[in-house]
Amino acid sequence: MRTFIFPLLLMMLLASGCASRGPLGSYCGPLPEGGAVSAIAADAVDCLSSLYPPGHTSVHLVPAKDVENGFAQAFERGLRTKGFTLLPAATADAVAVAYTLDALFEKGEKSAWYLQLRISDGETGGKSIARSYTETGQPEAGQSRTEIEFKRS
């Protein structure tokens, strides 16, 4: 009996680490060429503005380790241009946005890119939007939108 309970407790403990309180952090892998980065950032801004009204929404971008990456700069610039207010720290009434931008594969000169936005707005818990892009930054097919429940403590 003891050999059954210990692995079960260990598994429950490890599984509880999967529940998060919000978008944990941003990640930016090696970036595509400059024009592709701008196109991907513009598409991300369009996605956010279709969900939240610019001019009435404050956004906190969860920084990546490389805060000065080209995507973060283009994304911030696009959000400001669209009318969003950017906050340096998360607040209860701000929408927190974490992102992951990375290469899906590289074949010779051709690459595909993947962008995931994890959005926590405090009301519905959160959303995850994911989309893949060509090497020039053009969206491929549709996008995946998922409602996420973030655990609050």
Side-chain angles (χ1 to χ4, degrees):
M1 181 74 170
R2 187 175 191 183
T3 59
F4 174 74
I5 292 175
F6 180 71
L8 181 63
L9 289 174
L10 182 63
M11 194 166 54
M12 288 174 52
L13 178 67
L14 293 175
S16 68
C18 296
S20 65
R21 293 188 183 104
L24 293 177
S26 295
Y27 172 78
C28 190
L31 292 174
E33 66 174 61
V37 170
S38 297
I40 294 170
D43 188 55
V45 169
D46 288 343
C47 286
L48 275 180
S49 63
S50 71
L51 295 171
Y52 302 98
H56 299 283
T57 306
S58 297
V59 175
H60 166 66
L61 285 180
V62 179
K65 286 184 181 178
D66 178 14
V67 178
E68 298 300 317
N69 69 65
F71 175 75
Q73 293 171 352
F75 194 29
E76 285 181 21
R77 195 169 38 254
L79 289 169
R80 287 182 200 280
T81 301
K82 196 76 162 183
F84 287 97
T85 301
L86 291 177
L87 301 177
T91 62
D93 59 340
V95 174
V97 179
Y99 60 87
T100 298
L101 177 61
D102 204 1
L104 281 174
F105 63 86
E106 295 183 40
K107 277 199 249 179
E109 299 272 330
K110 294 197 172 195
S111 297
W113 304 96
Y114 169 80
L115 175 67
Q116 179 189 37
L117 299 176
R118 293 173 310 282
I119 306 162
S120 175
D121 59 17
E123 294 174 13
T124 60
K127 298 169 184 58
S128 174
I129 301 172
R131 188 175 236 177
S132 61
Y133 298 87
T134 64
E135 67 274 0
T136 60
Q138 298 305 308
E140 289 186 346
Q143 57 183 224
S144 166
R145 291 186 182 208
T146 307
E147 296 289 325
I148 305 170
E149 182 180 332
F150 295 123
K151 282 200 162 198
R152 305 277 181 215
S153 55

